[in-house]
Amino acid sequence: MLAGGGAAAGGGGGAAAGHRSLATEGFTPEQLAEVYDLFTMFDRNSDGRIGRNEFGPMMKTLGLNLTDRELNMFFDRMDDSGDGFIEFHELTEFLQHIARPISLEEELTEAFRFFGPTVGNGTTPSMDSDLDIRRAMITKKSLAKMLADKGEDITEAECGDMIAAATGGLEEIDFRTFQRFVQARVIDV
């Protein structure tokens, strides 16, 4: 039964079929059936793909009240093919990825990326791209943008003051400083 369901969700053969077999590793048949049920519930037009307009309601059903920025971030991370749609195998692979245990280093890198660090020329790498963690910085501008996306009314100058207060006078936060700052807070708790 599950094999038929997976084939229906994945559409035609080709490369997607290879992805489907990879996506089934790690989840029990019951878990795959639940993911498939979720997928088909929100694939309203039954085209085997979830578009951005179907994605937000799916996240709300899962109990996640995400901002538009967060929805776009998660959608883009799931859409491995870059075609603007999430297919069953992409959703399954993403859910398996977030369900696996991660190292503290990976968790800190994810948290650092959330703040929209910029690289030398002021560009913010996409969540999918390889972030050169050694060159990335959280700036007052990137912090202000992230907070504004969360609905906060805060100026870049105020963000600069926050960074300086948290770091002992620095204007930007590199990954190593972020790592020390977060780990010190975890130890204090």
Side-chain angles (χ1 to χ4, degrees), residues 16-172:
H19 284 304
R20 253 194 325 275
S21 65
L22 290 175
T24 61
E25 295 174 11
F27 276 170
T28 66
E30 293 79 18
Q31 289 169 321
L32 278 174
E34 286 181 42
V35 173
Y36 183 71
D37 288 345
L38 175 72
F39 184 87
T40 57
M41 183 184 342
F42 289 96
D43 179 18
R44 299 199 193 280
N45 60 1
S46 301
D47 66 351
R49 308 179 307 176
I50 294 176
R52 286 186 192 271
N53 62 328
E54 298 163 316
F55 183 67
M58 182 174 73
M59 293 293 104
K60 281 192 192 317
T61 297
L62 293 173
L64 301 172
N65 271 332
L66 303 173
T67 65
D68 287 342
R69 177 181 182 263
E70 292 167 328
L71 284 170
N72 286 328
M73 178 184 72
F74 280 113
F75 189 93
D76 291 341
R77 290 181 74 189
M78 284 188 220
D79 182 17
D80 286 338
S81 64
D83 64 357
F85 295 95
I86 296 172
E87 297 167 358
F88 177 69
H89 70 88
E90 291 171 321
L91 176 63
T92 305
E93 287 172 7
F94 180 79
L95 291 174
Q96 287 175 338
H97 175 75
I98 64 172
R100 74 171 174 78
I102 63 171
S103 70
L104 179 59
E105 183 79 15
E106 289 172 310
E107 191 171 357
L108 288 173
T109 300
E110 294 272 334
F112 186 72
R113 290 178 84 124
F114 179 78
F115 288 95
T118 58
V119 182
N121 60 4
T123 60
T124 303
S126 74
M127 290 302 288
D128 296 354
S129 72
D130 291 328
L131 173 68
D132 183 354
I133 210 77
R134 296 164 302 185
R135 293 184 31 220
M137 300 287 226
I138 298 172
T139 63
K140 62 184 178 184
K141 183 176 182 175
S142 65
L143 182 59
K145 180 180 179 345
M146 186 277 300
L147 291 171
D149 289 346
K150 301 290 265 163
E152 296 294 327
D153 184 24
I154 191 163
T155 67
E156 279 186 33
E158 290 170 320
C159 288
D161 291 343
M162 288 171 41
I163 290 172
T167 62
L170 298 176
E171 293 184 7
E172 300 175 326

